């Protein structure tokens, strides 16, 4: 991937048709392919994990149950009593993003969460669901939230635009956070891998020095494992917070 | 947690209701001494607090920038619609910065870390 003297850090995010002729005809790139793999992995994890349905769970069943419980507690604790209605939505979002983040760490794979078009779609989905939920739960009172309670009326021309901008910034911050974290992590991995190749070609002491970027990459991979689950968690918990504000009152 | 792992291992080696009862009794005997302490140490509340502290740190920067971006984009768009070239862009950029601070304030205030 990295050439002799330059590091092509962004080349890994380019989309190419996959699966030969069929992929070219359908414009089917790595991104939807890895989305499909992520969905299949999550469904297989739940299906295979829960198939034994043992009273004392094995390892896979325990993992599936912990995952279910974790999101269920998050949804019901944060959203409140109506949380169970939104639990499948939050669960799907969390595990889709988590699978996407972790699939991207497999060599030769593709990180679909590193494309802003994917994260914006997910964030807009959350945004629209929360607007529809609040319109259903609160009706026209929803628009009253743009004027903070107890504020003097003469400040309304200042406060209402600020509140509206704050509301509109939700999908932007959701999508930028996920996209930027994933892209930055993968660019870093690529840059240090490029350093390894460049140092290895530096004559006598080069190969010995090239060990250092490899060591850094090992540490970065561990950091990416943390960032991957953390970003999925932040996305899911913010979804819960927005839905709580939607169904409250 | 250690006792639970032992349970999982033994459940793969032998199956059946009889051995299950025996293992359940063993596990209960093992857990009796330390159950109170373990529950307090590995409760879900603690785990979530760790996550949300780190998650909050990741949140704050983007909250501020995102509101500013939205303010600039809305101001620029309204300027093009109304033909009032720089006025609305300036006003909405300031409002965007203000709502960015508001976002950060709300995120920090609601966090129980």
């Amino acid at each position: 991937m990295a050439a002799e003297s330059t590091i092509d850090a962004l080349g890994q995010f380019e989309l190419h048709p996959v699966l030969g002729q069929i992929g070219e005809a359908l414009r089917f790139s790595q991104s939807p392919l890895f989305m499909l793999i992520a969905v299949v992995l999550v469904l297989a994890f739940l299906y295979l994990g829960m198939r034994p349905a043992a009273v004392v769970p094995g390892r896979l069943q325990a993992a599936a149950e912990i995952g279910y419980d974790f999101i269920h507690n998050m949804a019901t604790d944060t959203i409140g009593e109506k949380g169970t209605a939104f639990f499948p939505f939050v669960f799907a979002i969390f595990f889709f993003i988590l699978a996407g983040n972790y699939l991207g760490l497999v060599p030769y794979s593709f990180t679909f969460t590193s494309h802003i078009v994917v994260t914006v779609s997910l964030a807009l989905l959350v945004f629209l669901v929360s607007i529809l939920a609040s319109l259903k739960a609160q009706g026209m009172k929803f628009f009253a939230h743009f004027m903070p309670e107890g504020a003097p009326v003469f400040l309304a021309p200042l406060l209402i635009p600020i509140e509206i901008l704050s509301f509109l910034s939700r999908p932007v911050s959701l999508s930028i956070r996920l996209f930027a974290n994933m892209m930055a992590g993968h660019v870093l991995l690529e840059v240090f891998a490029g350093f390894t190749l460049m140092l290895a070609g530096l004559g006598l002491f080069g190969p010995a020095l090239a060990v250092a970027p490899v060591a850094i990459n090992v540490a970065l991979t561990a950091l990416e494992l943390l960032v991957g689950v953390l970003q999925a968690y932040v996305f899911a918990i913010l979804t819960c917070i927005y839905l709580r504000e939607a169904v409250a009152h | 947690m250690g006792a639970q792992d032992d349970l999982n291992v033994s459940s793969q080696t032998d199956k059946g209701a009889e051995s299950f009862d025996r293992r359940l009794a063993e596990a209960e005997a093992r857990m009796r001494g330390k159950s109170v302490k373990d529950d307090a140490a590995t409760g879900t509340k603690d785990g979530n607090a760790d996550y949300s502290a780190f998650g909050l740190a990741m949140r704050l920067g983007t909250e501020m920038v995102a509101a500013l971006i939205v303010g600039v984009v809305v101001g620029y768009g309204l300027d093009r619609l109304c033909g009032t070239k720089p006025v609305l862009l300036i006003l909405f950029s300031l409002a965007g910065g203000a709502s960015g601070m508001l976002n950060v304030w709300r995120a920090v205030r609601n966090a129980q870390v």
Side-chain angles (χ1 to χ4, degrees):
Chain A
M1 273 189 236
E4 287 289 318
S5 56
T6 58
I7 300 174
D8 179 20
L10 297 177
Q12 57 177 324
F13 302 116
E14 276 171 19
L15 293 172
H16 305 287
V18 288
L19 304 177
Q21 297 266 306
I22 311 165
E24 293 214 18
L26 294 173
R27 303 285 189 274
F28 194 78
S29 61
Q30 311 104 305
S31 188
L33 175 70
F34 277 93
M35 284 181 204
L36 283 178
I37 294 177
V39 170
V40 168
L41 272 181
V42 172
L43 290 179
F45 168 62
L46 290 175
Y47 177 72
L48 294 178
M50 292 316 292
R51 202 171 47 170
V55 181
V56 179
R59 286 191 178 82
L60 196 59
Q61 191 187 340
E65 284 178 3
I66 289 171
Y68 183 98
D69 270 351
F70 178 62
I71 305 295
H72 193 269
N73 288 341
M74 186 204 288
T76 48
D77 286 354
T78 314
I79 304 177
E81 57 188 27
K82 289 178 185 155
T84 40
F86 294 105
F87 161 65
F89 180 61
V90 180
F91 187 87
I93 281 195
F94 178 81
F95 274 95
F96 184 63
I97 294 175
L98 182 67
N101 291 349
Y102 275 5
L103 270 179
L105 288 176
V106 179
Y108 298 106
S109 71
F110 178 82
T111 327
F112 60 79
T113 43
S114 67
H115 274 195
I116 197 163
V117 65
V118 177
T119 59
V120 161
S121 312
L122 285 169
L124 280 181
L125 176 69
V126 169
F127 190 59
L128 289 179
V129 165
S130 73
I131 289 182
L132 290 179
S134 46
L135 282 178
K136 185 163 178 279
Q138 308 168 23
M140 287 297 125
K141 259 191 68 191
F142 163 64
F143 296 101
H145 289 296
F146 290 119
M147 180 64 200
E149 278 174 44
V153 181
F154 69 89
L155 279 179
L158 183 63
L159 290 177
I160 291 175
I162 289 178
E163 288 285 338
I164 290 175
L165 286 181
S166 162
F167 186 71
L168 288 180
S169 73
R170 285 173 172 186
V172 178
S173 72
L174 262 186
S175 53
I176 287 182
R177 184 181 309 113
L178 178 58
F179 139 80
N181 270 289
M182 297 322 292
M183 201 189 77
H186 283 262
V187 166
L188 266 182
L189 287 174
E190 178 87 42
V191 165
F192 279 103
F195 283 168
T196 312
L197 291 184
M198 289 158 86
L199 281 172
L202 271 185
L204 199 57
F205 295 108
L209 292 174
V211 173
V214 173
I216 292 176
N217 251 355
V218 171
L220 277 180
T221 309
L223 180 72
E224 280 302 295
L225 283 172
L226 175 68
V227 168
V229 71
L230 202 69
Q231 289 305 320
Y233 173 77
V234 168
F235 205 100
I237 194 86
L238 283 176
T239 304
C240 288
I241 290 175
Y242 297 158
L243 287 173
R244 176 187 63 194
E245 287 173 16
V247 297
H249 310 293
Chain B
M1 278 320 220
Q4 217 172 348
D5 284 345
D6 292 344
L7 258 185
N8 292 342
V9 172
S10 55
S11 81
Q12 291 178 340
T13 50
D14 50 352
K15 290 192 166 74
E18 192 182 313
S19 73
F20 172 72
D21 285 341
R22 181 174 51 75
R23 280 180 284 126
L24 183 62
E26 282 174 14
E28 276 173 351
R30 242 178 304 158
M31 293 299 288
R32 201 162 291 143
K34 55 179 176 178
S35 62
V36 181
K37 202 182 77 191
D38 265 17
D39 280 356
T42 61
T44 49
K45 289 285 178 214
D46 283 2
N48 279 349
D50 279 354
Y51 264 124
S52 31
F54 203 167
L56 189 69
M58 310 280 269
R59 260 183 79 183
L60 296 180
T62 42
E63 292 285 359
M64 213 149 84
V65 177
L68 189 59
I69 291 174
V70 172
V72 170
V73 168
V74 168
Y76 185 73
L78 285 179
D79 259 347
R80 292 197 63 159
L81 277 179
C82 310
T84 51
K85 200 63 186 214
V87 181
L88 291 178
L89 176 62
I90 295 170
L91 287 179
F92 273 90
S93 303
L94 293 173
S99 65
M101 297 309 291
L102 181 70
N103 281 347
V104 170
W105 165 245
R106 288 209 172 126
V108 173
R109 189 187 51 181
N110 290 335
Q112 302 183 336
V113 204

